[in-house]
Each structure stands twice: as C-alpha cells, then as structure tokens.
C-alpha cells in the first residue's frame, strides 16, 4: 500500500509548503522551551534527554532564564511566546511557582511538562496562582506497562492523580501524552477508555526514537504494521469525538496527514521554536542533537542569536541526501523531524513515511 496522498491532499500539501516557506523567512518565535533541570524523580527507560550529558549538570538559576525572558520582552510581544518548562522533571524545583509568576508578570504564558509524581492539590493551587497556562502529563500505559517504562513502582497512580487534578482546572490548557511501544500497543483501547473516564479532552500519541536509553530496547520500537495500526487507531478515535487525539509532530505520515493529526506535518524547530538548555545552550527543541546548538545565554544575546543564526534549521535542503535524495515526498517532509538527524548520517534515524509504506 503506497499511502501516497491523493490529488486533493497533494494540492493542500503544496499550499501548506508555501506557508512553511514563509514561516521560515519570518521565523517568529512562538514557543521557548526551558530545560530548567536535568534532575528527575523517575528512571524512564525511554528518557528523551540527551543521555550523553553529565547528569551532574546543576540546575540553571531562575534569574539567568528570567534575564533571557527580559531580552525577548524588549524586542517581541511576550503574549505571543509560550514558555514551556521541561527537564528532567520541572516539579523537583521548589522555585518553579515563583519563576512562573515572574514570567506571568512579564506577559509570557507559561506551562510545563511533567510525569505528575509531585503534583499535589496544594502544588496545583500554587501553580495556578502563579499564572500557570498549560500542563502536559505523561501516561504511558495501564498500571504495569506505565510503571515498567517509568521505572517507579507507583508511577501510574501518581500520574492518574495528576491528570485528575489537571482536568479540574477549567482555565487550564492541558493534554496527556502517551509514548506508544510494543508493551502498551495492545492497551490503546483501554488507555482511551480510562482517559475518557478521567475527563481528558486532548490526547497526544507518539512513538519512541532510537536515542539515549531507548536505542537498545527492542520493546520500544513498533513494527511497520503496528505503526500503521496506531495511525488507524488515532483516526478512529478522532471520528468518535470523545477525546481529541492526534499524532505528535515527530514526522511526515503520507495520506494520514490531516487525518491522524491536525493539519499537516511541519517541524518548527528553529523556525517557531527555540530552547534554553540546562547549561545555557541555545538550541531549538530540547531533543535536537547538540550539533544544532546555536549559542549560549552566558556569552550571547538570545534575540540576536534567534534573528541571525538557526539558518541550518530554516533551510532544510541539506537533508535531501541518503534515502531522502530521490523521495518525491521530500518537499512536504523536508527530511522529517530535526530531532531525527545526527552528524555524519545521511539518513534520519527514522522515516515515518517508510513505516506506513513498507
């Protein structure tokens, strides 16, 4: 089965390509990730952090990141830049609430990504009082599967509790994310039912890329058949409209575009997304390889770096090599997600289009 888009979808993809070209030229900053810590209270088997880094890297002082926010505020409208705090586990920082409040006072909407282990009713209230705008909570299977992947015995119960707390906040934007793998693939229907029961409105699903701790774990890597099954599952759930499910922005998925996700694939790393990593490095998505680092907040002015560098991310023609060289979908895919590229490799670590066509 080719899964090559039909005529109408090809026309829509061509129009969207022009939109992406314009976005690359404008490069308006929309999301700023702050890797506030590399500490974590879980031992996730699939950790997306760059596991080659020294885990003893100290937390970045909040004032250092707030200085970056002030630089941005001087040249951009902070209301248009969403600050997403990530890690590690952001909630291990006692000053997250106070830092969020300072961002809120400056006009930045802010949120964080969490495993939910430390989210209590008291902490939730404190965070909301600090102007919290959004939260992403991970739930990676039913009890046994989730605890296995997170490496913590009662992680499932803590994540469910966190989701319950989040869904009670009517003014909060939130979603639940699930990393799909061989161990939880057969549980997707039950996870779906559970999330509906918990009152979750948005569910984002993704697969695990072969980096860091995940590279050597065969249970993390779904087969081509399972990947197609995942796409079909998401399409089915979207049609039922009990919960808004979508595939993450990790890669191009052929004729499933605008079916298994909202709109069409677009990797905005370095185009609309930047990050400040725990050691001060300025990059795009935190999962991008360190070779894509563009500067450092301790030696560079962030807005100047954003405006004058990041060229390698805004023009992806360099990715048209290896398996991408002769691919007729390259103009829509642009070499897949930037996080899938590594120095010296002609091919991305994964081609999602190949998973549905082979």
């Amino acid at each position: 089965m080719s899964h090559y888009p039909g005529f109408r979808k090809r026309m829509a993809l061509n129009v969207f390509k022009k939109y992406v070209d314009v976005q690359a030229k404008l490069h308006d900053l929309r999301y700023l990730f702050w890797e506030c810590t590399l500490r974590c209270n879980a031992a996730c088997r699939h950790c997306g952090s760059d596991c080659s880094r020294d885990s003893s890297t100290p937390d970045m002082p909040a004032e250092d990141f707030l200085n970056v926010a002030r630089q941005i505020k001087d040249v951009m409208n902070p209301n248009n830049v969403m600050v997403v705090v990530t890690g590690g586990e952001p909630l291990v920082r006692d000053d997250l609430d106070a830092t969020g409040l300072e961002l809120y006072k400056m006009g930045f909407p802010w949120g964080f990504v969490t495993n939910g282990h430390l989210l209590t009713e008291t902490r939730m209230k404190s965070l909301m009082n600090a102007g919290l705008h959004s939260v992403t909570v991970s739930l990676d299977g039913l009890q046994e599967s989730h605890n296995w992947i997170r490496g913590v015995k009662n992680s499932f119960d803590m994540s469910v509790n966190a989701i319950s707390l989040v869904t009670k906040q009517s003014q909060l934007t939130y979603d639940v994310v699930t990393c799909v793998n061989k161990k939880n693939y057969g549980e997707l229907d039950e996870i779906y039912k559970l999330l509906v029961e918990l009152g979750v409105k948005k569910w984002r699903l993704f697969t695990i890329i072969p980096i860091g701790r995940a590279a050597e774990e065969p249970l993390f890597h779904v087969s081509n058949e399972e990947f197609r099954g995942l796409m079909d599952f998401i399409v089915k759930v979207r049609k039922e409209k009990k919960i808004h499910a979508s595939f993450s922005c990790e890669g191009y998925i052929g004729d499933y575009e605008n079916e298994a996700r909202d709109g069409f694939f677009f990797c905005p790393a370095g185009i609309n997304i930047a990050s400040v990593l725990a050691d001060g490095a300025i990059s795009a998505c935190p999962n991008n390889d360190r070779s894509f680092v563009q500067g450092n907040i301790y030696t560079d002015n962030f807005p100047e770096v954003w405006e004058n560098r990041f060229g390698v991310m805004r023009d992806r023609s360099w990715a048209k090599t290896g398996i991408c060289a002769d691919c007729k979908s390259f103009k829509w895919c642009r070499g897949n997600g930037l996080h899938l590229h590594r120095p010296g490799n002609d091919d991305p670590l994964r081609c999602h289009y190949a998973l549905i066509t082979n």
Side-chain angles (χ1 to χ4, degrees):
M1 187 177 299
S2 71
H3 283 284
Y4 191 69
F7 176 76
R8 288 192 175 185
K9 189 163 288 185
R10 292 200 303 272
M11 294 302 101
L13 282 163
N14 287 335
V15 171
F16 188 72
K17 177 187 179 300
K18 294 179 181 179
Y19 165 79
V20 172
D21 292 341
V22 170
Q23 289 302 304
K25 291 178 181 179
L26 294 174
H27 51 267
D28 292 328
L29 183 63
R30 292 288 178 255
Y31 285 87
L32 176 63
F33 285 88
W34 176 33
E35 187 182 61
C36 72
T37 183
L38 291 181
R39 292 183 293 138
C40 190
N41 52 359
C44 302
R45 296 171 182 265
H46 68 307
C47 184
S49 297
D50 183 348
C51 296
S52 65
R53 275 180 286 173
D54 184 355
S55 60
S56 65
T57 301
D59 292 358
M60 177 182 290
E63 187 60 26
D64 294 356
F65 180 75
L66 290 173
N67 282 335
V68 174
R70 294 183 188 105
Q71 293 173 7
I72 294 171
K73 185 177 182 294
D74 286 342
V75 296
M76 303 178 196
N77 183 349
N79 298 162
N80 296 331
V81 182
M82 177 70 194
V83 176
V84 181
V85 186
T86 184
E89 169 52 49
L91 289 177
V92 301
R93 290 190 63 135
D94 295 333
D95 62 352
L96 178 62
D97 317 48
T99 307
L101 181 59
E102 291 304 310
L103 291 169
Y104 176 73
K105 288 177 179 178
M106 279 190 263
F108 291 95
W110 73 280
F112 63 94
V113 181
T114 180
N115 58 33
H117 293 185
L118 296 176
L119 193 58
T120 62
E121 190 169 350
T122 300
R123 192 79 190 271
M124 185 81 248
K125 183 177 180 179
S126 175
L127 291 162
M128 292 299 293
N129 288 337
L132 180 65
H133 178 82
S134 72
V135 178
T136 293
V137 184
S138 296
L139 187 72
D140 297 315
L142 300 181
Q143 188 167 38
E144 192 274 333
S145 296
H146 178 91
N147 290 347
W148 172 81
I149 199 170
R150 292 286 161 180
V152 177
K153 186 176 181 180
N154 57 342
S155 177
F156 175 83
D157 293 335
M158 291 185 288
S159 294
V160 169
N161 177 69
I163 292 169
S164 298
L165 289 171
V166 166
T167 57
K168 293 176 182 177
Q169 311 303 318
S170 60
Q171 297 181 323
L172 191 64
T173 298
Y174 69 88
D175 64 356
V176 171
V177 293
T178 298
C179 54
V180 180
N181 55 80
K182 286 184 176 294
K183 198 168 180 68
N184 67 12
Y185 178 78
E187 301 174 349
L188 290 176
D189 278 315
E190 293 302 312
I191 300 170
Y192 170 33
K193 292 177 184 176
L194 172 62
L195 294 180
V196 171
E197 290 174 3
L198 290 171
V200 173
K201 302 301 182 185
K202 294 187 70 175
W203 185 24
R204 187 157 38 101
L205 301 96
F206 66 98
T207 55
I208 301 172
I209 60 173
I211 62 173
R213 299 175 190 170
E216 306 301 324
E217 177 52 77
L219 285 177
F220 282 152
H221 309 302
V222 296
S223 67
N224 294 16
E225 182 180 3
E226 288 166 335
F227 187 79
R228 289 190 294 270
L230 172 60
M231 296 300 103
D232 291 333
F233 171 78
I234 294 173
V235 171
K236 178 197 76 169
V237 170
R238 288 169 68 90
K239 288 179 179 178
E240 292 176 358
K241 297 183 178 180
K242 295 178 182 178
I243 191 172
H244 188 78
S246 63
F247 185 56
S248 72
C249 62
E250 63 184 273
Y252 171 75
I253 49 176
D255 64 350
Y256 285 109
E257 293 291 337
N258 205 33
E259 305 291 337
R261 63 158 57 103
D262 299 336
F264 301 106
F265 171 68
F266 167 34
C267 177
I271 296 175
N272 301 128
I273 292 178
S275 66
V276 174
L277 304 182
D279 61 358
I282 300 170
S283 189
C285 291
N287 278 347
N288 290 158
D289 186 78
R290 297 288 289 193
S291 63
F292 290 109
V293 167
Q294 301 295 299
N296 193 289
I297 66 168
Y298 295 113
T299 56
D300 301 295
N301 175 271
F302 180 91
E304 290 180 2
V305 172
W306 176 254
E307 182 60 31
N308 299 313
R309 302 183 196 178
F310 286 90
V312 69
M313 306 179 200
R314 294 165 187 169
D315 179 358
R316 304 279 176 91
S317 58
W318 55 267
K320 195 172 175 59
T321 60
I323 61 172
C324 300
D326 300 317
C327 180
K328 58 184 179 180
S329 293
F330 181 84
K331 59 184 176 180
W332 305 317
C333 175
R334 305 166 200 87
N336 232 10
L338 194 68
H339 65 291
L340 296 167
H341 287 272
R342 293 294 183 272
N345 291 353
D346 287 340
D347 299 335
L349 294 175
R350 175 171 294 156
C351 173
H352 295 81
Y353 186 54
L355 290 177
I356 62 174
T357 56
N358 296 333

